Amino acid sequence: DAGVTQSPTHLIKTRGQQVTLRCSPISGHKSVSWYQQVLGQGPQFIFQYYEKEERGRGNFPDRFSARQFPNYSSELNVNALLLGDSALYLCASSSFLGEGGSGDTQYFGPGTRLTVL
Amino acid sequence: QKEVEQDPGPLSVPEGAIVSLNCTYSNSAFQYFMWYRQYSRKGPELLMYTYSSGNKEDGRFTAQVDKSSKYISLFIRDSQPSDSATYLCAMRVMNSGGYQKVTFGTGTKLQVIP
């Protein structure tokens, strides 16, 4: 089975532009989460979606938004890009939400590296 | 104070050594504890998943959780050059609203020298 896939792999944007990142979860997984990982730091939680609904949001500004589609794939949008948005954006999928067991374990994709100039 | 503190390293050891990686946490609500391995410019890869206090072994890897001390460890026996990576501890709690909040440590960079 294919793992979590993300596109594009790399992206270069300039300040003020908008960007859309895409994620396809593992087949059968209904929950998708997005994380931002700045160089030298651990991933920071941005959003979690389950069954096409936002179920959790981290401490990120409203410039960040996301959605999940009927096939459980997801998009992360970032508007009015800032230099500080340069990071590796990770998508993670899991089977369930709130079950509290191993089904909630998240599996990560390779990430999209965003550079803002 | 950060919810999760992780020894930053970097850690350099000779091949065959036993490696100990550690994290402490302050949120007693954390229920699940994970260790991820991340190679350079790749996404994190799940290594170990534990729930209760005690030890869990998988091949050369042993995860240890001490909830009373709010301390978790990952031990790597017979370390190999292929183990060279950044190791992230992560902890999970179910928040109100039913979503899982996962908090990561900053990662420890490990280099195993042949």
Side-chain angles (χ1 to χ4, degrees):
Chain A
D1 280 345
V4 177
T5 59
Q6 292 185 245
S7 63
T9 305
H10 296 89
L11 207 50
I12 299 175
K13 292 285 189 179
T14 57
R15 280 178 297 175
Q17 285 189 310
Q18 176 263 343
V19 68
T20 298
L21 311 180
R22 296 176 176 82
C23 170
S24 292
I26 292 171
S27 177
H29 283 193
K30 297 182 179 180
S31 179
V32 169
S33 297
W34 286 95
Y35 291 83
Q36 180 195 65
Q37 187 177 24
V38 174
L39 195 63
Q41 299 294 316
Q44 296 291 313
F45 172 70
I46 307 175
F47 287 110
Q48 182 172 40
Y49 276 76
Y50 179 71
E51 290 282 13
K52 303 179 290 295
E53 290 186 9
E54 180 184 308
R55 297 299 188 97
R57 174 186 286 254
N59 188 25
F60 279 81
D62 292 343
R63 299 185 295 108
F64 289 77
S65 63
R67 55 179 175 169
Q68 186 177 32
F69 298 98
N71 66 354
Y72 304 110
S73 67
S74 178
E75 286 182 351
L76 175 70
N77 295 286
V78 186
N79 293 323
L81 285 167
L82 304 174
L83 295 179
D85 295 331
S86 296
L88 180 68
Y89 287 84
L90 295 162
C91 173
S93 76
S94 59
S95 300
F96 305 113
L97 177 73
E99 191 186 62
S102 59
D104 281 326
T105 300
Q106 295 183 332
Y107 296 88
F108 284 84
T112 294
R113 185 161 298 279
L114 172 64
T115 301
V116 182
L117 303 177
Chain B
Q1 182 190 9
K2 287 184 179 180
E3 281 190 294
V4 178
E5 299 275 1
Q6 183 172 3
D7 293 343
L11 193 58
S12 185
V13 301
E15 182 176 353
I18 296 175
V19 176
S20 171
L21 304 167
N22 309 294
C23 287
T24 59
Y25 61 96
S26 59
N27 186 352
S28 59
F30 284 133
Q31 299 163 305
Y32 303 92
F33 305 90
M34 290 80 71
W35 285 95
Y36 285 85
R37 178 175 62 196
Q38 186 173 26
Y39 291 112
S40 181
R41 298 188 173 273
K42 301 290 185 183
E45 168 195 10
L46 180 67
L47 278 177
M48 300 287 285
Y49 167 88
T50 57
Y51 171 69
S52 56
S53 285
N55 293 350
K56 181 178 180 180
E57 191 173 315
D58 184 2
R60 296 185 295 111
F61 299 92
T62 299
Q64 188 175 80
V65 174
D66 183 345
K67 288 188 175 181
S68 62
S69 301
K70 298 189 180 66
Y71 188 88
I72 70 170
S73 298
L74 178 71
F75 298 95
I76 307 174
R77 292 185 299 279
D78 188 24
S79 56
Q80 302 295 309
S82 59
D83 295 328
S84 298
T86 296
Y87 289 80
L88 296 155
C89 64
M91 307 182 186
R92 197 174 85 209
V93 63
M94 211 63 62
N95 265 7
S96 59
Y99 81 94
Q100 54 174 319
K101 174 189 173 185
V102 180
T103 304
F104 282 84
T106 54
T108 301
K109 189 170 184 178
L110 171 67
Q111 183 180 23
V112 181
I113 302 169

